[in-house]
Amino acid sequence: MNKIEFTFLGLNMEGISVIYGIFLITWGFGVTFLSDSTSITSLIPSVLGAPILILSILAIWIPERKKLLMHFSVVFGLLVFLGGIDFLRGFLGSAGPFENGWAGSSKLMMLITGLVYCALCVLSFRFARKNRE
């Protein structure tokens, strides 16, 4: 039995991307609301999650453009990861990476989830390439 599509926990990459986009959007607005933040930077996860959500929905609706749309989606996932790398800069300060707990937790979340999302995308692309041959 050959699998025709990469899945993780029973979901294909479009489904994972939809969930991830919703998670990022919810996280950004949640942190902004819970912390009473007036800084636009607390919405960075939401700003990066929105294109992931939109692109993955379009990939579901327009399957002939799925490859292109999912490649664009992983670019935004990479931006999430790169934004999370700023968490490591916190170790250089005297107060540590959680000097601002909300910002530190958002950066750590972006670092970890961005890395996992990009890794899943790479695994999916490799799976598709192997099955095409």
Side-chain angles (χ1 to χ4, degrees), residues 85-99:
I85 288 178
D86 192 48
F87 175 79
L88 302 175
R89 186 173 54 109
F91 287 107
L92 300 175
S94 60
F98 291 104
E99 179 179 356

Side-chain angles (χ1 to χ4, degrees), residues 14-80:
E14 299 87 34
I16 291 169
S17 298
V18 167
I19 292 169
Y20 187 50
I22 291 170
F23 169 75
L24 288 171
I25 292 167
T26 304
W27 182 281
F29 281 105
V31 165
T32 300
F33 175 75
L34 292 172
S35 68
D36 290 326
S37 176
T38 57
S39 173
I40 192 88
T41 59
S42 63
L43 290 172
I44 289 173
S46 298
V47 168
L48 295 173
I52 292 172
L53 176 62
I54 292 167
L55 290 165
S56 57
I57 289 172
L58 287 173
I60 293 168
W61 287 348
I62 313 168
E64 61 272 8
R65 294 284 185 209
K66 176 173 115 172
K67 181 179 173 183
L68 175 68
L69 293 165
M70 292 309 292
H71 275 83
F72 282 134
S73 182
V74 76
V75 169
F76 285 98
L78 182 60
L79 291 174
V80 171

Side-chain angles (χ1 to χ4, degrees), residues 2-5 67-68 71 124-133:
N2 286 338
K3 283 176 47 176
I4 60 167
E5 187 170 36
K67 181 179 173 183
L68 175 68
H71 275 83
S124 172
F125 296 151
R126 290 182 65 201
F127 179 88
R129 180 166 290 223
K130 280 183 181 178
N131 283 341
R132 190 174 60 223
E133 293 172 354

